[in-house]
Amino acid sequence: MTINESTKSKDRLPPIPDKRYFTIGETSYLCGVKPHVLRYWEQEFPRLKPTKRRGNRRYYQLNDLMMIRQIRRLLYDDGFTIEGARAQLLHPGEANKELKKEIVLQKIITDLENVLQKLKMEEVIIT
């Protein structure tokens, strides 16, 4: 097995078993995120609402797992912020425009920082 193959297999999520409910531990494993991240995402993404039973135990259903995997992809693979991922889930086309604006602004900031650094270097050489 090459390095690329082992990296790809780590990125691949396990198949979802044919069950109705999943505990937070099972969901964590199946979606590749830690339980505390799942609890945090519940606060950030209003549509993510697992069923809570006795003792506030969370039970996720298939649609919850699919949403968690989508959120994970948006945040970890596509590079969205929480706000951007939330917008992408609500309005897929608009979030792409916002991401493009963010990328352009970041490039402008980086270019300006490079120019500033060069100007500072020239000042040191002149003095």
Side-chain angles (χ1 to χ4, degrees):
M1 181 182 297
T2 66
I3 294 173
N4 285 342
E5 289 173 5
S6 65
T7 313
K8 287 179 186 176
S9 64
K10 286 180 187 176
D11 293 341
R12 220 175 285 140
L13 295 173
I16 299 173
D18 188 22
K19 289 175 58 170
R20 184 163 183 170
Y21 292 103
F22 301 88
T23 65
I24 194 167
E26 292 169 326
T27 303
S28 170
Y29 169 74
L30 293 170
C31 296
V33 293
K34 298 198 180 240
H36 69 272
V37 174
L38 293 173
R39 290 189 290 273
Y40 174 70
W41 286 355
E42 286 175 32
Q43 297 170 358
E44 296 297 325
F45 298 94
R47 289 180 38 205
L48 183 58
K49 293 264 188 238
T51 304
K52 290 187 181 177
R53 292 194 184 152
R54 228 172 346 124
N56 256 353
R57 289 186 169 195
R58 291 164 169 79
Y59 290 94
Y60 297 86
Q61 294 183 30
L62 179 62
N63 61 334
D64 296 321
L65 268 70
M66 299 309 290
M67 181 179 297
I68 292 167
R69 285 183 169 197
Q70 184 176 11
I71 292 169
R72 180 185 185 280
R73 182 185 51 78
L74 290 169
L75 295 175
Y76 297 169
D77 299 337
D78 297 345
F80 282 91
T81 61
I82 294 278
E83 188 176 324
R86 195 180 308 124
Q88 179 70 20
L89 291 171
L90 291 174
H91 309 286
E94 291 177 29
N96 285 337
K97 291 177 190 173
E98 289 301 314
L99 179 62
K100 287 177 185 175
K101 286 180 191 176
E102 239 178 86
I103 291 170
V104 169
L105 284 175
Q106 189 58 47
K107 175 143 178 35
I108 292 171
I109 290 169
T110 303
D111 290 345
L112 288 173
E113 287 172 344
N114 290 337
V115 169
L116 181 61
Q117 188 174 9
K118 286 179 183 178
L119 288 173
K120 287 181 179 178
M121 295 283 285
E122 286 180 17
E123 184 179 303
V124 170
I125 294 172
I126 293 173
T127 58

